[in-house]
Amino acid sequence: MDISACQLHKEIHGQFDLIFSINVLEHTEELESVVKGMTNVLADNGKMVHTCPNYNVPYEPHFGITLVPFFPR
């Protein structure tokens, strides 16, 4: 079953001790709703760990390439 993180409810989906993502949250359109949905299913004393790329560093982690952000188009 595919659902959005916005649709998570602990009564339906249970609770999680750990919610983890790597380079995902920067692709969400409704970040606040996504985080709220994940918080809904986070167990007491649970942890959320998320990493997102640092776009101030000229490296694109998805493709493993160096970026030249000031290069003319």
Side-chain angles (χ1 to χ4, degrees), residues 4-7 24-39:
S4 168
C6 303
Q7 299 169 314
V24 174
L25 295 180
E26 70 272 17
H27 298 287
T28 61
E29 292 181 16
E30 298 178 22
L31 181 59
E32 189 173 329
S33 296
V34 167
V35 172
K36 182 177 180 183
M38 289 186 289
T39 302

Side-chain angles (χ1 to χ4, degrees), residues 4 19 23-24 28 33 36 38 42 51-52 56-57 61 73:
S4 168
I19 298 174
N23 297 343
V24 174
T28 61
S33 296
K36 182 177 180 183
M38 289 186 289
L42 190 64
T51 66
C52 296
N56 293 319
V57 175
R73 291 183 181 191

Side-chain angles (χ1 to χ4, degrees), residues 6-64:
C6 303
Q7 299 169 314
L8 292 171
H9 297 285
K10 69 179 176 181
E11 297 82 16
I12 299 169
H13 304 104
Q15 291 185 299
F16 298 87
D17 295 322
L18 176 66
I19 298 174
F20 179 76
S21 73
I22 299 174
N23 297 343
V24 174
L25 295 180
E26 70 272 17
H27 298 287
T28 61
E29 292 181 16
E30 298 178 22
L31 181 59
E32 189 173 329
S33 296
V34 167
V35 172
K36 182 177 180 183
M38 289 186 289
T39 302
N40 287 338
V41 294
L42 190 64
D44 293 341
N45 299 316
K47 304 274 187 236
M48 277 201 278
V49 178
H50 304 281
T51 66
C52 296
N54 180 351
Y55 289 112
N56 293 319
V57 175
Y59 178 76
E60 207 296 318
H62 299 91
F63 298 108

